[in-house]
PDB file of all heavy atoms in Angstrom:
ATOM      1  N   ALA A  26    -121.641 134.746-144.192  1.00 93.00           N
ATOM      2  CA  ALA A  26    -121.183 135.108-145.540  1.00 93.00           C
ATOM      3  C   ALA A  26    -119.728 134.679-145.743  1.00 93.00           C
ATOM      4  O   ALA A  26    -119.359 134.173-146.813  1.00 93.00           O
ATOM      5  CB  ALA A  26    -121.338 136.606-145.769  1.00 93.00           C
ATOM      6  N   ASN A  27    -118.905 134.861-144.721  1.00 94.00           N
ATOM      7  CA  ASN A  27    -117.494 134.437-144.814  1.00 94.00           C
ATOM      8  C   ASN A  27    -117.362 132.926-144.975  1.00 94.00           C
ATOM      9  O   ASN A  27    -116.412 132.443-145.577  1.00 94.00           O
ATOM     10  CB  ASN A  27    -116.714 134.896-143.587  1.00 94.00           C
ATOM     11  CG  ASN A  27    -116.468 136.390-143.585  1.00 94.00           C
ATOM     12  OD1 ASN A  27    -116.546 137.044-144.622  1.00 94.00           O
ATOM     13  ND2 ASN A  27    -116.191 136.945-142.418  1.00 94.00           N
ATOM     14  N   ALA A  28    -118.315 132.193-144.439  1.00 93.00           N
ATOM     15  CA  ALA A  28    -118.295 130.731-144.533  1.00 93.00           C
ATOM     16  C   ALA A  28    -119.050 130.233-145.769  1.00 93.00           C
ATOM     17  O   ALA A  28    -119.189 129.025-145.962  1.00 93.00           O
ATOM     18  CB  ALA A  28    -118.896 130.123-143.276  1.00 93.00           C
ATOM     19  N   GLY A  29    -119.577 131.160-146.576  1.00 91.00           N
ATOM     20  CA  GLY A  29    -120.297 130.761-147.784  1.00 91.00           C
ATOM     21  C   GLY A  29    -121.759 130.446-147.540  1.00 91.00           C
ATOM     22  O   GLY A  29    -122.413 129.836-148.382  1.00 91.00           O
ATOM     23  N   GLY A  30    -122.298 130.844-146.410  1.00 88.00           N
ATOM     24  CA  GLY A  30    -123.693 130.563-146.074  1.00 88.00           C
ATOM     25  C   GLY A  30    -124.519 131.828-145.985  1.00 88.00           C
ATOM     26  O   GLY A  30    -124.091 132.894-146.416  1.00 88.00           O
ATOM     27  N   ALA A  31    -125.689 131.695-145.436  1.00 86.00           N
ATOM     28  CA  ALA A  31    -126.592 132.825-145.260  1.00 86.00           C
ATOM     29  C   ALA A  31    -127.392 132.632-143.982  1.00 86.00           C
ATOM     30  O   ALA A  31    -127.540 131.514-143.489  1.00 86.00           O
ATOM     31  CB  ALA A  31    -127.534 132.942-146.451  1.00 86.00           C
ATOM     32  N   VAL A  32    -127.919 133.726-143.467  1.00 87.00           N
ATOM     33  CA  VAL A  32    -128.757 133.701-142.275  1.00 87.00           C
ATOM     34  C   VAL A  32    -130.204 133.861-142.711  1.00 87.00           C
ATOM     35  O   VAL A  32    -130.526 134.742-143.498  1.00 87.00           O
ATOM     36  CB  VAL A  32    -128.371 134.836-141.298  1.00 87.00           C
ATOM     37  CG1 VAL A  32    -129.346 134.912-140.140  1.00 87.00           C
ATOM     38  CG2 VAL A  32    -126.962 134.627-140.790  1.00 87.00           C
ATOM     39  N   VAL A  33    -131.061 132.992-142.216  1.00 85.00           N
ATOM     40  CA  VAL A  33    -132.498 133.089-142.493  1.00 85.00           C
ATOM     41  C   VAL A  33    -133.187 133.319-141.159  1.00 85.00           C
ATOM     42  O   VAL A  33    -133.059 132.511-140.245  1.00 85.00           O
ATOM     43  CB  VAL A  33    -133.036 131.794-143.150  1.00 85.00           C
ATOM     44  CG1 VAL A  33    -134.537 131.871-143.328  1.00 85.00           C
ATOM     45  CG2 VAL A  33    -132.339 131.535-144.466  1.00 85.00           C
ATOM     46  N   LEU A  34    -133.907 134.440-141.046  1.00 87.00           N
ATOM     47  CA  LEU A  34    -134.649 134.727-139.818  1.00 87.00           C
ATOM     48  C   LEU A  34    -135.958 133.954-139.844  1.00 87.00           C
ATOM     49  O   LEU A  34    -136.678 133.968-140.837  1.00 87.00           O
ATOM     50  CB  LEU A  34    -134.919 136.226-139.705  1.00 87.00           C
ATOM     51  CG  LEU A  34    -133.674 137.108-139.630  1.00 87.00           C
ATOM     52  CD1 LEU A  34    -134.070 138.578-139.589  1.00 87.00           C
ATOM     53  CD2 LEU A  34    -132.826 136.748-138.429  1.00 87.00           C
ATOM     54  N   ILE A  35    -136.253 133.281-138.761  1.00 86.00           N
ATOM     55  CA  ILE A  35    -137.454 132.451-138.678  1.00 86.00           C
ATOM     56  C   ILE A  35    -138.398 133.056-137.649  1.00 86.00           C
ATOM     57  O   ILE A  35    -138.001 133.310-136.512  1.00 86.00           O
ATOM     58  CB  ILE A  35    -137.088 131.010-138.281  1.00 86.00           C
ATOM     59  CG1 ILE A  35    -136.190 130.400-139.341  1.00 86.00           C
ATOM     60  CG2 ILE A  35    -138.337 130.178-138.075  1.00 86.00           C
ATOM     61  CD1 ILE A  35    -135.645 129.040-138.979  1.00 86.00           C
ATOM     62  N   ASN A  36    -139.640 133.260-138.035  1.00 84.00           N
ATOM     63  CA  ASN A  36    -140.664 133.747-137.130  1.00 84.00           C
ATOM     64  C   ASN A  36    -141.161 132.552-136.317  1.00 84.00           C
ATOM     65  O   ASN A  36    -141.831 131.668-136.851  1.00 84.00           O
ATOM     66  CB  ASN A  36    -141.821 134.374-137.916  1.00 84.00           C
ATOM     67  CG  ASN A  36    -142.909 134.926-137.020  1.00 84.00           C
ATOM     68  OD1 ASN A  36    -143.033 134.546-135.859  1.00 84.00           O
ATOM     69  ND2 ASN A  36    -143.698 135.824-137.571  1.00 84.00           N
ATOM     70  N   PRO A  37    -140.857 132.489-135.016  1.00 81.00           N
ATOM     71  CA  PRO A  37    -141.219 131.309-134.228  1.00 81.00           C
ATOM     72  C   PRO A  37    -142.727 131.109-134.084  1.00 81.00           C
ATOM     73  O   PRO A  37    -143.189 129.992-133.906  1.00 81.00           O
ATOM     74  CB  PRO A  37    -140.567 131.559-132.869  1.00 81.00           C
ATOM     75  CG  PRO A  37    -140.354 133.030-132.808  1.00 81.00           C
ATOM     76  CD  PRO A  37    -140.171 133.493-134.223  1.00 81.00           C
ATOM     77  N   TYR A  38    -143.501 132.185-134.174  1.00 81.00           N
ATOM     78  CA  TYR A  38    -144.950 132.051-134.032  1.00 81.00           C
ATOM     79  C   TYR A  38    -145.591 131.475-135.293  1.00 81.00           C
ATOM     80  O   TYR A  38    -146.579 130.767-135.221  1.00 81.00           O
ATOM     81  CB  TYR A  38    -145.576 133.402-133.684  1.00 81.00           C
ATOM     82  CG  TYR A  38    -145.083 133.901-132.357  1.00 81.00           C
ATOM     83  CD1 TYR A  38    -144.136 134.902-132.279  1.00 81.00           C
ATOM     84  CD2 TYR A  38    -145.534 133.321-131.173  1.00 81.00           C
ATOM     85  CE1 TYR A  38    -143.672 135.345-131.054  1.00 81.00           C
ATOM     86  CE2 TYR A  38    -145.066 133.747-129.949  1.00 81.00           C
ATOM     87  CZ  TYR A  38    -144.141 134.758-129.892  1.00 81.00           C
ATOM     88  OH  TYR A  38    -143.675 135.182-128.681  1.00 81.00           O
ATOM     89  N   ARG A  39    -145.015 131.762-136.441  1.00 82.00           N
ATOM     90  CA  ARG A  39    -145.549 131.212-137.697  1.00 82.00           C
ATOM     91  C   ARG A  39    -145.006 129.825-137.988  1.00 82.00           C
ATOM     92  O   ARG A  39    -145.716 128.958-138.476  1.00 82.00           O
ATOM     93  CB  ARG A  39    -145.204 132.144-138.860  1.00 82.00           C
ATOM     94  CG  ARG A  39    -146.032 133.376-138.865  1.00 82.00           C
ATOM     95  CD  ARG A  39    -146.386 133.708-140.276  1.00 82.00           C
ATOM     96  NE  ARG A  39    -147.369 134.767-140.253  1.00 82.00           N
ATOM     97  CZ  ARG A  39    -147.297 135.837-140.984  1.00 82.00           C
ATOM     98  NH1 ARG A  39    -146.289 136.006-141.809  1.00 82.00           N
ATOM     99  NH2 ARG A  39    -148.233 136.747-140.918  1.00 82.00           N
ATOM    100  N   ALA A  40    -143.732 129.619-137.718  1.00 83.00           N
ATOM    101  CA  ALA A  40    -143.098 128.343-138.073  1.00 83.00           C
ATOM    102  C   ALA A  40    -143.577 127.214-137.164  1.00 83.00           C
ATOM    103  O   ALA A  40    -143.742 126.089-137.618  1.00 83.00           O
ATOM    104  CB  ALA A  40    -141.581 128.474-137.997  1.00 83.00           C
ATOM    105  N   ARG A  41    -143.772 127.463-135.887  1.00 86.00           N
ATOM    106  CA  ARG A  41    -144.217 126.462-134.906  1.00 86.00           C
ATOM    107  C   ARG A  41    -143.410 125.162-135.026  1.00 86.00           C
ATOM    108  O   ARG A  41    -143.963 124.068-135.122  1.00 86.00           O
ATOM    109  CB  ARG A  41    -145.704 126.193-135.048  1.00 86.00           C
ATOM    110  CG  ARG A  41    -146.545 127.430-134.865  1.00 86.00           C
ATOM    111  CD  ARG A  41    -148.001 127.164-134.900  1.00 86.00           C
ATOM    112  NE  ARG A  41    -148.384 126.340-136.030  1.00 86.00           N
ATOM    113  CZ  ARG A  41    -149.608 125.945-136.271  1.00 86.00           C
ATOM    114  NH1 ARG A  41    -150.579 126.299-135.492  1.00 86.00           N
ATOM    115  NH2 ARG A  41    -149.893 125.187-137.307  1.00 86.00           N
ATOM    116  N   LEU A  42    -142.106 125.298-135.031  1.00 88.00           N
ATOM    117  CA  LEU A  42    -141.225 124.149-135.272  1.00 88.00           C
ATOM    118  C   LEU A  42    -141.366 123.045-134.233  1.00 88.00           C
ATOM    119  O   LEU A  42    -141.260 121.868-134.562  1.00 88.00           O
ATOM    120  CB  LEU A  42    -139.773 124.619-135.348  1.00 88.00           C
ATOM    121  CG  LEU A  42    -139.468 125.577-136.491  1.00 88.00           C
ATOM    122  CD1 LEU A  42    -138.038 126.089-136.371  1.00 88.00           C
ATOM    123  CD2 LEU A  42    -139.711 124.928-137.828  1.00 88.00           C
ATOM    124  N   SER A  43    -141.599 123.407-132.975  1.00 86.00           N
ATOM    125  CA  SER A  43    -141.704 122.370-131.949  1.00 86.00           C
ATOM    126  C   SER A  43    -143.027 121.620-132.021  1.00 86.00           C
ATOM    127  O   SER A  43    -143.200 120.593-131.373  1.00 86.00           O
ATOM    128  CB  SER A  43    -141.543 122.980-130.548  1.00 86.00           C
ATOM    129  OG  SER A  43    -142.622 123.849-130.274  1.00 86.00           O
ATOM    130  N   GLN A  44    -143.971 122.117-132.827  1.00 88.00           N
ATOM    131  CA  GLN A  44    -145.271 121.468-132.951  1.00 88.00           C
ATOM    132  C   GLN A  44    -145.395 120.646-134.232  1.00 88.00           C
ATOM    133  O   GLN A  44    -146.284 119.817-134.355  1.00 88.00           O
ATOM    134  CB  GLN A  44    -146.381 122.525-132.951  1.00 88.00           C
ATOM    135  CG  GLN A  44    -146.422 123.342-131.692  1.00 88.00           C
ATOM    136  CD  GLN A  44    -147.451 124.448-131.778  1.00 88.00           C
ATOM    137  OE1 GLN A  44    -148.348 124.415-132.601  1.00 88.00           O
ATOM    138  NE2 GLN A  44    -147.324 125.432-130.914  1.00 88.00           N
ATOM    139  N   ALA A  45    -144.512 120.864-135.190  1.00 88.00           N
ATOM    140  CA  ALA A  45    -144.634 120.248-136.515  1.00 88.00           C
ATOM    141  C   ALA A  45    -143.907 118.913-136.601  1.00 88.00           C
ATOM    142  O   ALA A  45    -142.954 118.657-135.873  1.00 88.00           O
ATOM    143  CB  ALA A  45    -144.079 121.193-137.573  1.00 88.00           C
ATOM    144  N   CYS A  46    -144.371 118.086-137.516  1.00 88.00           N
ATOM    145  CA  CYS A  46    -143.714 116.818-137.813  1.00 88.00           C
ATOM    146  C   CYS A  46    -143.610 116.689-139.335  1.00 88.00           C
ATOM    147  O   CYS A  46    -144.376 117.313-140.067  1.00 88.00           O
ATOM    148  CB  CYS A  46    -144.498 115.646-137.234  1.00 88.00           C
ATOM    149  SG  CYS A  46    -143.578 114.090-137.377  1.00 88.00           S
ATOM    150  N   VAL A  47    -142.696 115.862-139.808  1.00 87.00           N
ATOM    151  CA  VAL A  47    -142.509 115.698-141.244  1.00 87.00           C
ATOM    152  C   VAL A  47    -143.711 115.062-141.923  1.00 87.00           C
ATOM    153  O   VAL A  47    -143.892 115.208-143.124  1.00 87.00           O
ATOM    154  CB  VAL A  47    -141.236 114.881-141.570  1.00 87.00           C
ATOM    155  CG1 VAL A  47    -139.999 115.642-141.191  1.00 87.00           C
ATOM    156  CG2 VAL A  47    -141.265 113.534-140.913  1.00 87.00           C
ATOM    157  N   CYS A  48    -144.563 114.381-141.156  1.00 88.00           N
ATOM    158  CA  CYS A  48    -145.752 113.767-141.748  1.00 88.00           C
ATOM    159  C   CYS A  48    -146.867 114.789-141.959  1.00 88.00           C
ATOM    160  O   CYS A  48    -147.892 114.478-142.561  1.00 88.00           O
ATOM    161  CB  CYS A  48    -146.253 112.620-140.866  1.00 88.00           C
ATOM    162  SG  CYS A  48    -146.900 113.152-139.271  1.00 88.00           S
ATOM    163  N   GLY A  49    -146.668 116.028-141.466  1.00 88.00           N
ATOM    164  CA  GLY A  49    -147.662 117.080-141.623  1.00 88.00           C
ATOM    165  C   GLY A  49    -148.509 117.322-140.392  1.00 88.00           C
ATOM    166  O   GLY A  49    -149.260 118.277-140.319  1.00 88.00           O
ATOM    167  N   ALA A  50    -148.376 116.465-139.402  1.00 89.00           N
ATOM    168  CA  ALA A  50    -149.153 116.630-138.163  1.00 89.00           C
ATOM    169  C   ALA A  50    -148.640 117.830-137.377  1.00 89.00           C
ATOM    170  O   ALA A  50    -147.441 118.074-137.313  1.00 89.00           O
ATOM    171  CB  ALA A  50    -149.050 115.368-137.307  1.00 89.00           C
ATOM    172  N   MET A  51    -149.571 118.579-136.796  1.00 90.00           N
ATOM    173  CA  MET A  51    -149.232 119.715-135.932  1.00 90.00           C
ATOM    174  C   MET A  51    -149.866 119.433-134.572  1.00 90.00           C
ATOM    175  O   MET A  51    -151.090 119.352-134.471  1.00 90.00           O
ATOM    176  CB  MET A  51    -149.772 121.022-136.485  1.00 90.00           C
ATOM    177  CG  MET A  51    -149.142 121.441-137.787  1.00 90.00           C
ATOM    178  SD  MET A  51    -147.428 121.883-137.585  1.00 90.00           S
ATOM    179  CE  MET A  51    -147.583 123.609-137.286  1.00 90.00           C
ATOM    180  N   VAL A  52    -149.041 119.251-133.557  1.00 88.00           N
ATOM    181  CA  VAL A  52    -149.542 118.944-132.224  1.00 88.00           C
ATOM    182  C   VAL A  52    -148.951 119.950-131.243  1.00 88.00           C
ATOM    183  O   VAL A  52    -147.734 120.026-131.080  1.00 88.00           O
ATOM    184  CB  VAL A  52    -149.148 117.506-131.796  1.00 88.00           C
ATOM    185  CG1 VAL A  52    -149.614 117.215-130.388  1.00 88.00           C
ATOM    186  CG2 VAL A  52    -149.700 116.497-132.773  1.00 88.00           C
ATOM    187  N   LYS A  53    -149.819 120.739-130.629  1.00 89.00           N
ATOM    188  CA  LYS A  53    -149.365 121.692-129.618  1.00 89.00           C
ATOM    189  C   LYS A  53    -148.976 120.926-128.366  1.00 89.00           C
ATOM    190  O   LYS A  53    -149.700 120.051-127.905  1.00 89.00           O
ATOM    191  CB  LYS A  53    -150.465 122.693-129.313  1.00 89.00           C
ATOM    192  CG  LYS A  53    -149.990 123.793-128.405  1.00 89.00           C
ATOM    193  CD  LYS A  53    -150.957 124.929-128.360  1.00 89.00           C
ATOM    194  CE  LYS A  53    -150.412 125.959-127.400  1.00 89.00           C
ATOM    195  NZ  LYS A  53    -150.614 127.288-127.827  1.00 89.00           N
ATOM    196  N   LYS A  54    -147.794 121.278-127.831  1.00 89.00           N
ATOM    197  CA  LYS A  54    -147.280 120.585-126.657  1.00 89.00           C
ATOM    198  C   LYS A  54    -147.042 121.595-125.542  1.00 89.00           C
ATOM    199  O   LYS A  54    -146.640 122.723-125.810  1.00 89.00           O
ATOM    200  CB  LYS A  54    -145.945 119.914-126.988  1.00 89.00           C
ATOM    201  CG  LYS A  54    -146.002 118.941-128.131  1.00 89.00           C
ATOM    202  CD  LYS A  54    -144.599 118.515-128.489  1.00 89.00           C
ATOM    203  CE  LYS A  54    -144.560 117.740-129.758  1.00 89.00           C
ATOM    204  NZ  LYS A  54    -144.761 118.517-130.941  1.00 89.00           N
ATOM    205  N   PRO A  55    -147.235 121.188-124.294  1.00 90.00           N
ATOM    206  CA  PRO A  55    -146.854 122.078-123.196  1.00 90.00           C
ATOM    207  C   PRO A  55    -145.325 122.161-123.141  1.00 90.00           C
ATOM    208  O   PRO A  55    -144.625 121.241-123.581  1.00 90.00           O
ATOM    209  CB  PRO A  55    -147.416 121.388-121.957  1.00 90.00           C
ATOM    210  CG  PRO A  55    -147.578 119.965-122.342  1.00 90.00           C
ATOM    211  CD  PRO A  55    -147.832 119.937-123.821  1.00 90.00           C
ATOM    212  N   LEU A  56    -144.811 123.255-122.616  1.00 87.00           N
ATOM    213  CA  LEU A  56    -143.365 123.449-122.563  1.00 87.00           C
ATOM    214  C   LEU A  56    -142.658 122.357-121.772  1.00 87.00           C
ATOM    215  O   LEU A  56    -141.529 121.997-122.072  1.00 87.00           O
ATOM    216  CB  LEU A  56    -143.041 124.819-121.972  1.00 87.00           C
ATOM    217  CG  LEU A  56    -141.592 125.266-122.057  1.00 87.00           C
ATOM    218  CD1 LEU A  56    -141.097 125.249-123.499  1.00 87.00           C
ATOM    219  CD2 LEU A  56    -141.428 126.640-121.466  1.00 87.00           C
ATOM    220  N   ARG A  57    -143.318 121.790-120.792  1.00 90.00           N
ATOM    221  CA  ARG A  57    -142.677 120.747-119.973  1.00 90.00           C
ATOM    222  C   ARG A  57    -142.492 119.439-120.750  1.00 90.00           C
ATOM    223  O   ARG A  57    -141.726 118.581-120.343  1.00 90.00           O
ATOM    224  CB  ARG A  57    -143.471 120.505-118.705  1.00 90.00           C
ATOM    225  CG  ARG A  57    -144.804 119.860-118.926  1.00 90.00           C
ATOM    226  CD  ARG A  57    -145.548 119.628-117.606  1.00 90.00           C
ATOM    227  NE  ARG A  57    -146.840 119.061-117.850  1.00 90.00           N
ATOM    228  CZ  ARG A  57    -147.949 119.755-118.039  1.00 90.00           C
ATOM    229  NH1 ARG A  57    -147.922 121.063-117.988  1.00 90.00           N
ATOM    230  NH2 ARG A  57    -149.093 119.156-118.276  1.00 90.00           N
ATOM    231  N   GLN A  58    -143.181 119.259-121.864  1.00 89.00           N
ATOM    232  CA  GLN A  58    -143.003 118.056-122.690  1.00 89.00           C
ATOM    233  C   GLN A  58    -141.770 118.270-123.554  1.00 89.00           C
ATOM    234  O   GLN A  58    -141.798 119.015-124.517  1.00 89.00           O
ATOM    235  CB  GLN A  58    -144.227 117.801-123.568  1.00 89.00           C
ATOM    236  CG  GLN A  58    -144.121 116.528-124.372  1.00 89.00           C
ATOM    237  CD  GLN A  58    -145.361 116.280-125.212  1.00 89.00           C
ATOM    238  OE1 GLN A  58    -146.384 116.926-125.026  1.00 89.00           O
ATOM    239  NE2 GLN A  58    -145.252 115.357-126.129  1.00 89.00           N
ATOM    240  N   ARG A  59    -140.669 117.626-123.221  1.00 89.00           N
ATOM    241  CA  ARG A  59    -139.384 117.875-123.855  1.00 89.00           C
ATOM    242  C   ARG A  59    -139.074 116.915-124.995  1.00 89.00           C
ATOM    243  O   ARG A  59    -138.017 116.999-125.600  1.00 89.00           O
ATOM    244  CB  ARG A  59    -138.263 117.802-122.808  1.00 89.00           C
ATOM    245  CG  ARG A  59    -138.420 118.759-121.655  1.00 89.00           C
ATOM    246  CD  ARG A  59    -138.671 120.207-122.064  1.00 89.00           C
ATOM    247  NE  ARG A  59    -137.652 120.698-122.965  1.00 89.00           N
ATOM    248  CZ  ARG A  59    -137.821 121.731-123.777  1.00 89.00           C
ATOM    249  NH1 ARG A  59    -138.959 122.382-123.810  1.00 89.00           N
ATOM    250  NH2 ARG A  59    -136.853 122.119-124.567  1.00 89.00           N
ATOM    251  N   VAL A  60    -139.980 116.016-125.304  1.00 88.00           N
ATOM    252  CA  VAL A  60    -139.749 115.051-126.373  1.00 88.00           C
ATOM    253  C   VAL A  60    -140.851 115.175-127.416  1.00 88.00           C
ATOM    254  O   VAL A  60    -142.028 115.193-127.083  1.00 88.00           O
ATOM    255  CB  VAL A  60    -139.717 113.611-125.818  1.00 88.00           C
ATOM    256  CG1 VAL A  60    -139.513 112.604-126.930  1.00 88.00           C
ATOM    257  CG2 VAL A  60    -138.644 113.474-124.773  1.00 88.00           C
ATOM    258  N   HIS A  61    -140.443 115.295-128.686  1.00 87.00           N
ATOM    259  CA  HIS A  61    -141.408 115.290-129.785  1.00 87.00           C
ATOM    260  C   HIS A  61    -141.628 113.831-130.168  1.00 87.00           C
ATOM    261  O   HIS A  61    -140.705 113.122-130.541  1.00 87.00           O
ATOM    262  CB  HIS A  61    -140.856 116.066-130.986  1.00 87.00           C
ATOM    263  CG  HIS A  61    -141.641 115.858-132.237  1.00 87.00           C
ATOM    264  ND1 HIS A  61    -142.794 116.559-132.494  1.00 87.00           N
ATOM    265  CD2 HIS A  61    -141.476 115.007-133.278  1.00 87.00           C
ATOM    266  CE1 HIS A  61    -143.288 116.157-133.658  1.00 87.00           C
ATOM    267  NE2 HIS A  61    -142.503 115.223-134.141  1.00 87.00           N
ATOM    268  N   THR A  62    -142.863 113.368-130.029  1.00 87.00           N
ATOM    269  CA  THR A  62    -143.225 112.011-130.408  1.00 87.00           C
ATOM    270  C   THR A  62    -144.439 112.093-131.317  1.00 87.00           C
ATOM    271  O   THR A  62    -145.391 112.813-131.026  1.00 87.00           O
ATOM    272  CB  THR A  62    -143.580 111.174-129.169  1.00 87.00           C
ATOM    273  OG1 THR A  62    -142.518 111.290-128.229  1.00 87.00           O
ATOM    274  CG2 THR A  62    -143.752 109.719-129.526  1.00 87.00           C
ATOM    275  N   CYS A  63    -144.399 111.377-132.425  1.00 86.00           N
ATOM    276  CA  CYS A  63    -145.496 111.434-133.391  1.00 86.00           C
ATOM    277  C   CYS A  63    -145.968 110.014-133.725  1.00 86.00           C
ATOM    278  O   CYS A  63    -145.201 109.054-133.610  1.00 86.00           O
ATOM    279  CB  CYS A  63    -145.039 112.144-134.659  1.00 86.00           C
ATOM    280  SG  CYS A  63    -146.362 112.415-135.852  1.00 86.00           S
ATOM    281  N   VAL A  64    -147.215 109.915-134.175  1.00 86.00           N
ATOM    282  CA  VAL A  64    -147.759 108.607-134.545  1.00 86.00           C
ATOM    283  C   VAL A  64    -147.057 108.014-135.762  1.00 86.00           C
ATOM    284  O   VAL A  64    -147.113 106.811-135.978  1.00 86.00           O
ATOM    285  CB  VAL A  64    -149.285 108.695-134.805  1.00 86.00           C
ATOM    286  CG1 VAL A  64    -150.023 109.059-133.538  1.00 86.00           C
ATOM    287  CG2 VAL A  64    -149.596 109.688-135.905  1.00 86.00           C
ATOM    288  N   CYS A  65    -146.358 108.863-136.538  1.00 84.00           N
ATOM    289  CA  CYS A  65    -145.638 108.349-137.718  1.00 84.00           C
ATOM    290  C   CYS A  65    -144.345 107.633-137.331  1.00 84.00           C
ATOM    291  O   CYS A  65    -143.681 107.054-138.184  1.00 84.00           O
ATOM    292  CB  CYS A  65    -145.358 109.477-138.705  1.00 84.00           C
ATOM    293  SG  CYS A  65    -144.117 110.662-138.154  1.00 84.00           S
ATOM    294  N   GLY A  66    -143.971 107.689-136.045  1.00 82.00           N
ATOM    295  CA  GLY A  66    -142.790 106.963-135.585  1.00 82.00           C
ATOM    296  C   GLY A  66    -141.615 107.846-135.216  1.00 82.00           C
ATOM    297  O   GLY A  66    -140.613 107.361-134.694  1.00 82.00           O
TER     298      GLY A  66
END
């Protein structure tokens, strides 16, 4: 708030950020896979 911003709480189970891609693909990855790679490039 002091910096003019806001905090948004994200539910990690619903958002699934590590599985999502901007092309809409959702690919579940094992934790040991440290690189997100998608067919869209």
Side-chain angles (χ1 to χ4, degrees):
N27 288 341
V32 173
V33 176
L34 299 177
I35 298 174
N36 181 339
Y38 297 104
R39 286 219 171 132
R41 301 184 312 179
L42 297 174
S43 65
Q44 299 175 19
C46 188
V47 293
C48 67
M51 294 292 269
V52 177
K53 187 167 178 141
K54 303 171 190 73
L56 190 56
R57 69 179 178 270
Q58 183 179 347
R59 302 309 305 159
V60 179
H61 167 82
T62 308
C63 186
V64 295
C65 71

